[in-house]
Amino acid sequence: MHIRPETAADIDAIHSLSEAAFGQPEEARLVDMLRAEGDAALSLVAEEDGHIIGHVLFSPMAAPVRTLGLGPLSVAPDHRKQGIGAALVRHGLAQAQREGWQASFVLGNPAYYSRFGYSVELAKGFTNQFAGPYFMALELAAGALKTPFAVSYAPAFSKL
């Protein structure tokens, strides 16, 4: 497996992968909208034998510090439980940190995302339309999330 940035040639495969991974078209449409609106800050694919088997997208969030939202994260149904999603997330977070992003938020399963350092506890106090038990935060730069603030996902998230 090889992780790399998406290219224009990957767009159809990513769309199909996202639909298959989620069993519905909404996440695939979200990826397409984020890309079209210029909000795909980091879009990485996992490729094996010339086939896209995983994808992760990080989009900029409205916040007083440089913040990314993680998601969607998609893995082909026949390639799950092989560490592909985890490798994509780790690769994306490392790249985000190298590029000077200071924080990241995700809406997802705490049992899964806590392995990367995301924390429901850290996200408490931050204002967001998705705030609750599945909203998690991660500092990429020390002290970036010391004081809670309002944080918003890219506009495409509100269009679904």
Side-chain angles (χ1 to χ4, degrees):
M1 177 188 67
H2 172 68
I3 296 175
R4 61 171 175 78
E6 78 166 39
T7 67
D10 300 326
I11 291 173
D12 290 341
I14 291 169
H15 186 93
S16 296
L17 168 72
S18 297
E19 280 190 345
F22 286 96
Q24 61 186 13
E26 283 79 12
E27 284 78 7
R29 283 190 7 210
L30 176 59
V31 169
D32 292 342
M33 284 190 290
L34 288 164
R35 188 185 298 112
E37 294 172 6
D39 285 326
L42 295 173
S43 187
L44 304 172
V45 295
E47 184 179 46
E48 185 175 79
D49 299 325
H51 299 286
I52 305 297
I53 57 171
H55 174 253
V56 68
L57 191 138
F58 291 82
S59 56
M61 298 181 79
V65 299
R66 291 192 72 215
T67 304
L68 288 172
L70 187 169
L73 169 64
S74 304
V75 175
D78 59 341
H79 284 81
R80 290 189 180 146
K81 301 209 183 282
Q82 297 176 25
I84 295 164
L88 283 163
V89 171
R90 285 189 181 100
H91 192 95
L93 290 172
Q95 183 174 339
Q97 205 164 26
R98 283 191 306 273
E99 292 179 5
W101 293 94
Q102 297 171 285
S104 180
F105 287 83
V106 67
L107 185 66
N109 183 339
Y112 182 78
Y113 288 101
S114 63
R115 73 180 77 186
F116 310 109
Y118 284 94
S119 165
V120 171
E121 193 62 35
L122 183 59
K124 287 182 180 173
F126 289 87
T127 308
N128 180 272
Q129 72 263 35
F130 301 112
Y134 299 101
F135 185 60
M136 293 166 275
L138 171 67
E139 275 191 340
L140 298 174
L145 300 179
K146 182 173 64 172
T147 304
F149 47 78
V151 60
S152 299
Y153 282 93
F157 283 86
S158 299
K159 296 177 183 175
L160 292 181

